[in-house]
Amino acid sequence: MSLEEDLKNELNPQQYRAVTTIDGPILIIAGAGSGKTRVITYRIANMLEKGIPQSQILALTFTNKAAKEMEDRIKQLTGKKLQSLTISTFHAFGVKILRQDIDKLGYRTNFSIYDETDRYALIKETGRDLKFTAEALDLYKIGVLFSDIKTGRKQFTSDADQYKALYTGYQEGLKLFNAVDFDDLITLPIRLFHEHPEVLQEYKNRYRYIMVDEFQDTSHQQYELMHLLSDRNVAVVGDDDQSIYSWRGADYQNIINFEKDFPGMQEIRLEQNYRSTGTILAAANGVIRHNTNRKDKELWSGNGDGRPIEIFMPENEAAEADFIAESIQGICAEEKRKYDDFGVLMRANTQSRPIEEAFLEANIPYVMSGGTSFFERKEIKDVISYLRVISNHDDDVNLLRIINTPRRGIGRAAIEAVNNVADAMGSSLWEAIQTILAAPLENCPVSASTRADFEEFVSLIDNFKTMLSGKGLSKKVRSLVDEIQYLDYLIAENPKSEKAARFKMMNVESLIKSMEQWENNPENPDTSLYAYLNRITLLSRDDLDDGEQDKGKVNLMTVHASKGLEFPVVFIAGAEEGLMPHARAVEEGGDAAIEEERRLFYVAVTRARDRLFISSCLHRRKMNASVECQTSRFLDEIPEHLITYHEPSKTVDAEEAHELLQNMLKNLARPRVPKL
């Protein structure tokens, strides 16, 4: 079958139009479950079929998982290798630009990318230099402020003026350590394009066709980056009703900006939902209709009406958790469902404890989205920090992490001496160490034994520079771990539990094995240390886990984490005022925040395929007191005829229980007649 025949057979009329409209600006409003990914992948496959070179197509999305899924689907459709096609997250694309041209902004091309842990460490270190008290260094609050300042969402106000010098020092520290943070991966390419229009022109000549997925989640900076790159052939796909990330800079108003900035654009609406029953969609439509600032659309389904939405009003969060656990067990037995058919969604992570306890009590396996990322574990960060310093000697944050890990006699006094030399020279710590080692013994600011420890450390790092070659990386990392006697260090750090130490060492071994798989993958042309470090910095936890180990488990997660997912059976827990909508949104955000909370509830509802349960507690514990709860306003917005109120299981008295048991025993004792 040709691709053209495939398009006509597989796509509805609106999808077909979106796929076959290649030239000019196009806005595709894709409602929940309307086949958005199918449209994007078929559209790219169609462009390739029409003779557009892979190298001229740029597709931008928000997660590596989504990018990988798109690439795999296009390969299946076309049967082609996609070596020249760019399907990337915004941040990974920013890295690609900076690796090529960051030297024009005064950086070296082997820059480090700081994750949140590194970023907080640099803020803390800068704060200490500026004599900030520990109380004044609220790292999370300062990190959010700095991100808002850098991305233009906020300006310094009088109440934040105290952090101006800290922000300046933080920025200077990044430059000194030849490092960038996540915000820089978007803001620096924009700056590069503005300051060096010839670089921008190179990219515009290269990418003639641009697509952006999840367009409602783009920030102002991501929109500006896309706008700078695209002249006319640009397609954006999104749904203003699913815009739930304003707290990290997303602005669904970019949809309106797109209409202004690209005159003559065509708008196509995908409203047929392939996921949910008619009842679930009618409920979602009934709720989201109360938002005023949105594009009018009405999702519909050919899947039949299905069951009504079941609402349960338990006494408290413990009863709510028991209801969810018992319902899951009952549905598994009655409908032959697997545990991974269930999604349990919450507004806040704080709701998870009673639900997790109920699952443990009932022996229900579950996976909780969110936990500590594998790459955030201390033992993993220690090894990665060695690799970062080997790749970039001027990375002070990671150098400070490993200079005495495992312990090698380089204490605080020695590190302070190195800091003093670095401050005097305006250099990185590595350069300061080199200066100390080159100084005559009589002028050396550290003792002879500390000097020897520095020499040993420098020699270790220099000896493993062979990692930069791009061959045999995993073997070299294993050799490094052995060289520093990391297992002995873990045992010394965990004197009461050698088992804990060996578990941590197993994590290190898992890291090395995953590295080995990555470098042996024929689809990875670049297996250098730089490429590996970029990969693990950009990947989120969801992207790193292949999900295999989570099959057969109930999915417990926040509504934000559920976006893009779907489950046959969904439980929405805590549909109460103060949680949905969240109290903070009601108090601080006004009507706009309430509308975003409503979009969040809409996202939760549209995750369900067949059955939807919503619970709203009568009481909930807050600050060690039981507080009376009010049902969420969003429940009142669901049309009444779609709802049934779930009755709790009837308590069985002793006499009835005895009778039920006797009947079961009779059935078990009855002789079975073999089937002929």
Side-chain angles (χ1 to χ4, degrees):
M1 187 187 293
S2 69
L3 182 64
E4 180 61 32
E5 290 172 321
D6 202 14
L7 297 182
K8 287 178 178 174
N9 291 334
E10 294 292 325
L11 305 176
N12 66 39
Q14 290 75 26
Q15 290 175 328
Y16 182 81
R17 185 180 157 214
V19 164
T20 55
T21 304
I22 293 174
D23 297 319
I26 174 173
L27 170 62
I28 303 167
I29 301 294
S34 62
K36 169 177 68 74
T37 305
R38 176 190 288 188
V39 165
I40 294 171
T41 52
Y42 268 107
R43 191 171 190 273
I44 294 174
N46 184 47
M47 291 162 77
L48 296 175
E49 185 78 6
K50 293 283 190 285
I52 294 171
Q54 291 182 26
S55 57
Q56 291 187 3
I57 300 171
L58 169 64
L60 296 170
T61 186
F62 280 84
T63 68
N64 290 281
K65 192 174 182 179
K68 178 82 166 59
E69 185 183 349
M70 278 185 211
E71 187 173 332
D72 289 345
R73 287 208 200 179
I74 295 164
K75 280 181 183 174
Q76 288 173 1
L77 285 172
T78 62
K80 296 178 180 177
K81 292 182 178 179
L82 304 176
Q83 289 143 324
S84 304
L85 180 66
T86 305
I87 303 177
S88 170
T89 65
F90 272 95
H91 288 94
F93 184 63
V95 172
K96 185 175 181 177
I97 294 169
L98 295 177
R99 284 283 170 223
Q100 191 72 33
D101 291 296
I102 199 171
D103 57 315
K104 294 179 174 63
L105 298 177
Y107 292 77
R108 295 184 297 284
T109 52
N110 65 331
F111 60 87
S112 296
I113 304 169
Y114 277 9
D115 62 15
E116 284 300 284
T117 307
D118 299 331
R119 188 165 168 260
Y120 289 158
L122 179 56
I123 292 172
K124 195 173 181 180
E125 197 64 34
T126 308
R128 281 181 188 150
D129 291 345
L130 294 172
K131 306 292 189 264
F132 272 74
T133 63
E135 294 75 29
L137 280 176
D138 182 334
L139 295 178
Y140 176 77
K141 176 184 167 187
I142 293 169
V144 170
L145 173 67
F146 285 8
S147 184
D148 286 344
I149 297 292
K150 186 174 286 194
T151 56
R153 294 197 293 272
K154 283 185 182 174
Q155 302 294 323
F156 275 111
T157 54
S158 54
D159 58 338
D161 269 351
Q162 60 176 314
Y163 297 115
K164 263 187 180 177
L166 184 62
Y167 178 76
T168 302
Y170 167 72
Q171 289 294 97
E172 289 171 350
L174 284 174
K175 193 74 179 286
L176 176 64
F177 306 150
N178 198 39
V180 299
D181 61 24
F182 257 53
D183 292 320
D184 288 325
L185 299 181
I186 306 297
T187 58
L188 287 180
I190 291 172
R191 185 180 140 203
L192 176 71
F193 287 164
H194 281 304
E195 293 180 8
H196 298 273
E198 74 284 1
V199 176
L200 172 60
Q201 195 57 50
E202 283 176 27
Y203 280 92
K204 291 178 80 155
N205 292 341
R206 185 182 313 172
Y207 297 115
R208 303 281 187 173
Y209 296 86
I210 295 175
M211 288 191 71
V212 181
D213 185 21
E214 300 288 8
F215 186 62
Q216 77 282 345
D217 292 337
T218 52
S219 66
H220 290 295
Q221 283 68 38
Q222 287 161 337
Y223 180 85
E224 184 179 357
L225 183 65
M226 179 275 296
H227 192 199
L228 283 167
L229 285 166
S230 52
D231 282 328
R232 185 143 183 83
N233 296 327
V234 55
V236 298
V237 187
D239 179 9
D240 52 341
D241 287 338
Q242 295 186 72
S243 179
I244 58 173
Y245 292 113
S246 66
W247 47 276
R248 70 181 188 195
D251 188 355
Y252 68 93
Q253 293 287 340
N254 283 340
I255 291 175
I256 294 165
N257 295 335
F258 185 81
E259 293 171 332
K260 291 177 186 170
D261 293 335
F262 292 89
M265 65 121 229
Q266 298 184 60
E267 180 181 307
I268 300 170
R269 298 189 185 192
L270 309 180
E271 296 174 295
Q272 182 176 355
N273 176 287
Y274 292 91
R275 175 188 301 156
S276 307
T277 64
T279 295
I280 291 168
L281 290 184
N285 288 332
V287 171
I288 203 65
R289 203 176 288 126
H290 288 76
N291 273 7
T292 54
N293 202 354
R294 63 183 288 265
K295 283 187 172 289
D296 190 36
K297 69 184 81 66
E298 192 84 7
L299 294 182
W300 61 276
S301 169
N303 298 338
D305 290 340
R307 300 194 189 203
I309 292 162
E310 297 187 45
I311 293 179
F312 183 56
M313 304 187 74
E315 175 58 31
N316 53 35
E317 63 268 32
E320 175 183 56
D322 289 340
F323 161 71
I324 293 171
E326 289 165 11
S327 297
I328 288 172
Q329 287 181 316
I331 295 169
C332 279
E334 291 166 19
E335 301 181 15
K336 303 292 186 285
R337 296 275 188 193
K338 296 176 295 184
Y339 282 126
D340 55 10
D341 284 341
F342 297 86
V344 181
L345 312 184
M346 313 162 292
R347 175 61 180 86
N349 271 316
T350 51
Q351 295 171 249
S352 75
R353 187 187 56 76
I355 300 173
E356 290 188 73
E357 287 177 357
F359 284 174
L360 291 169
E361 182 74 23
N363 290 318
I364 295 174
Y366 69 93
V367 56
M368 173 76 191
S369 282
T372 303
S373 161
F374 177 76
F375 282 81
E376 287 303 307
R377 295 177 188 218
K378 182 188 182 301
E379 61 272 19
I380 302 303
K381 279 199 72 74
D382 284 348
V383 175
I384 296 298
S385 290
Y386 270 97
L387 304 187
R388 292 196 189 284
V389 172
I390 289 165
S391 73
N392 175 12
H393 294 346
D394 296 324
D395 185 341
D396 282 14
V397 168
N398 283 294
L399 186 142
L400 285 169
R401 183 182 187 92
I402 62 168
I403 197 166
N404 205 37
T405 303
R407 305 193 187 286
R408 52 173 64 89
I410 301 174
R412 289 191 179 186
I415 292 171
E416 189 175 342
V418 174
N419 268 322
N420 290 338
V421 173
D423 288 344
M425 293 173 56
S427 70
S428 69
L429 296 180
W430 178 269
E431 289 171 345
I433 291 171
Q434 300 282 21
T435 300
I436 288 171
L437 294 179
L441 286 173
E442 61 272 15
N443 293 332
C444 188
V446 298
S447 67
S449 62
T450 301
R451 182 182 174 121
D453 292 330
F454 277 137
E455 284 177 342
E456 182 187 328
F457 175 71
V458 168
S459 176
L460 174 77
I461 299 300
D462 282 341
N463 287 345
F464 280 95
K465 281 201 290 190
T466 57
M467 287 185 187
L468 302 178
S469 69
K471 292 181 180 177
L473 181 60
S474 58
K475 287 181 182 176
K476 291 168 186 173
V477 174
R478 186 174 274 113
S479 176
L480 169 68
V481 171
D482 291 341
E483 176 86 13
I484 63 176
Q485 299 179 324
Y486 194 70
L487 175 58
D488 293 343
Y489 164 73
L490 290 175
I491 292 171
E493 290 292 296
N494 297 272
K496 293 182 179 178
S497 175
E498 186 172 327
K499 186 178 177 182
R502 294 198 179 277
F503 178 78
K504 291 174 184 292
M505 196 65 195
M506 282 169 57
N507 286 333
V508 173
E509 185 58 33
S510 294
L511 171 74
I512 295 170
K513 283 182 178 173
S514 71
M515 196 180 292
E516 192 174 10
Q517 289 173 343
W518 172 78
E519 65 183 342
N520 289 333
N521 185 339
E523 293 189 12
N524 290 330
D526 183 0
T527 56
S528 68
L529 179 57
Y530 297 131
Y532 180 75
L533 292 174
N534 284 343
R535 172 181 175 269
I536 63 171
T537 301
L538 291 166
L539 289 180
S540 69
R541 178 178 185 272
D542 288 340
D543 300 317
L544 290 164
D545 293 341
D546 62 11
E548 288 299 314
Q549 68 273 34
D550 295 334
K551 285 186 175 175
K553 298 179 182 179
V554 173
N555 302 275
L556 179 60
M557 62 184 64
T558 63
V559 182
H560 280 102
S562 75
K563 189 159 178 290
L565 303 176
E566 59 181 72
F567 306 99
V569 184
V570 165
F571 291 82
I572 302 175
E576 303 140 26
E577 290 292 308
L579 277 175
M580 293 182 183
H582 200 279
R584 188 172 59 249
V586 177
E587 291 163 11
E588 299 174 7
D591 291 343
I594 294 294
E595 293 215 344
E596 175 149 336
E597 290 289 307
R598 185 176 283 110
R599 292 194 294 271
L600 195 57
F601 187 73
Y602 171 84
V603 165
V605 169
T606 54
R607 298 312 94 196
R609 291 214 309 252
D610 305 323
R611 297 187 68 177
L612 176 61
F613 296 82
I614 307 175
S615 51
S616 176
C617 292
L618 301 176
H619 297 88
R620 188 175 289 273
R621 288 196 75 76
K622 292 178 184 173
M623 304 291 289
N624 296 322
S626 180
V627 178
E628 190 173 340
C629 299
Q630 185 181 345
T631 304
S632 169
R633 67 190 76 184
F634 303 146
L635 287 187
D636 296 335
E637 295 170 357
I638 299 175
E640 188 69 31
H641 70 279
L642 304 173
I643 291 172
T644 181
Y645 285 88
H646 194 95
E647 293 296 327
S649 300
K650 191 180 78 162
T651 304
V652 179
D653 62 30
E655 190 176 328
E656 286 177 302
H658 180 73
E659 189 178 334
L660 283 168
L661 181 60
Q662 292 304 314
N663 287 335
M664 284 172 60
L665 291 171
K666 280 178 190 174
N667 287 332
L668 288 170
R670 188 176 296 148
R672 297 182 182 276
V673 180
K675 290 184 180 178
L676 299 175

